[in-house]
Amino acid sequence: MAPNDPTPAADNDRTKSTSTKKESRLSEARTWWKEAWDEGGTLYELWEDVRRAPDAGWHGMANWIKAVAAIAVFSFVVLLFNGAVDVLLDAAHRILTAVPNVQVGDNTSTGVWATIDNPIRAYIAAHSAGLPISASTVYTLWQVTGLFSLIGGFITRSNGIRLTWLAWGCAGIAMVWTTTPDTSRTVATAIAVLAWTFASAFALRGLNLRPRVFSTVHTAPQITVQPQIHIPAQPDGPAPDNVRQLGR
């Protein structure tokens, strides 16, 4: 006779074994969870560290809490910095876009300043053709950099700003030397050097290249007398009998 259960015996055994494994895993998970929250368990110790952290302070709290807090603060700072950089770049782009168009290639300067400014305009116009920004923007940035380093060096006396001023002046003198015709190149470069040197008196205010000499003063050692040490004084008068006998 055919069995009433249409499912083969092998399938029933496989289903029972699968359910038994699931129950054993759940039982092991419940056991681990219970042991972890018992006194001395892993989760219990972690919760105690968190509970004692406000009273223990930064130096007394657990190291893993310090690490988590440091990672969270660092991630927050990175997010803020990323957002701030995007905002600053967008603002700089708008400012540079709003800069008035300066005719860089035209010699619009007059007087002594034209001897320095016109070669710089011509150099920037000739060497900024393939840039994503216009030559007018490059010339404006050039002027802003020089003005910022001049005023910043005079006020703050910062070495970084002063290095910027030195690099700006050397680059400007090099552009004047390169662009000015051969017949007047020496005179134009000399005027540029004199003008930059005069302005450096303000940008490099207070700069002293003389090395500092530190003198060492040697002081004599002090002798301290401890009052608890007493030296008995010899009394005046005849020597004792034992001393007389030794003298004989």
Side-chain angles (χ1 to χ4, degrees):
M1 294 178 61
N4 295 327
D5 189 2
T7 305
D11 295 340
N12 291 333
D13 295 339
R14 188 178 303 170
T15 305
K16 291 179 180 180
S17 62
T18 303
S19 61
T20 304
K21 290 180 180 179
K22 291 182 179 179
E23 292 177 358
S24 62
R25 290 177 181 176
L26 291 175
S27 178
E28 292 176 358
R30 294 193 194 97
T31 303
W32 178 87
W33 182 261
K34 184 178 179 181
E35 293 177 354
W37 280 107
D38 290 338
E39 186 175 357
T42 304
L43 298 179
Y44 179 84
E45 294 296 332
L46 294 177
W47 173 250
E48 287 296 318
D49 292 338
V50 175
R51 188 179 60 83
R52 290 192 297 262
D55 298 331
W58 176 258
H59 297 285
M61 66 177 59
N63 292 329
W64 70 270
I65 299 179
K66 295 180 181 179
V68 172
I71 293 173
V73 172
F74 179 76
S75 302
F76 183 71
V77 171
V78 169
L79 290 176
L80 289 180
F81 182 75
N82 189 17
V85 168
D86 293 338
V87 172
L88 291 176
L89 290 178
D90 183 65
H93 176 72
R94 292 182 180 180
I95 292 173
L96 294 177
T97 305
V99 170
N101 188 12
V102 180
Q103 300 298 328
V104 180
D106 298 336
N107 297 329
T108 57
S109 300
T110 58
V112 180
W113 178 243
T115 307
I116 305 172
D117 187 56
N118 289 337
I120 293 176
R121 286 171 178 261
Y123 186 90
I124 293 176
H127 294 82
S128 58
L131 296 179
I133 56 178
S134 62
S136 175
T137 304
V138 176
Y139 179 72
T140 304
L141 289 175
W142 169 261
Q143 289 181 320
V144 169
T145 302
L147 185 62
F148 169 77
S149 57
L150 175 63
I151 299 175
F154 179 80
I155 296 175
T156 64
R157 299 185 182 182
S158 173
N159 293 330
I161 297 177
R162 288 176 172 178
L163 289 175
T164 305
W165 169 258
L166 294 175
W168 183 85
C170 294
I173 293 171
M175 285 190 285
V176 172
W177 173 267
T178 304
T179 312
T180 306
D182 297 339
T183 55
S184 57
R185 175 177 297 171
T186 306
V187 177
T189 305
I191 294 174
V193 171
L194 290 176
W196 177 69
T197 305
F198 177 77
S200 297
F202 297 92
L204 305 180
R205 180 178 66 93
L207 181 63
N208 188 8
L209 300 179
R210 181 179 299 176
R212 296 181 180 180
V213 179
F214 298 94
S215 59
T216 304
V217 179
H218 298 280
T219 58
Q222 297 180 358
I223 301 175
T224 56
V225 179
Q226 298 180 358
Q228 63 271 19
I229 300 176
H230 302 280
I231 300 175
Q234 296 293 334
D236 297 335
D241 296 337
N242 54 357
V243 176
R244 294 176 182 175
Q245 293 175 0
L246 291 175
R248 294 176 183 177

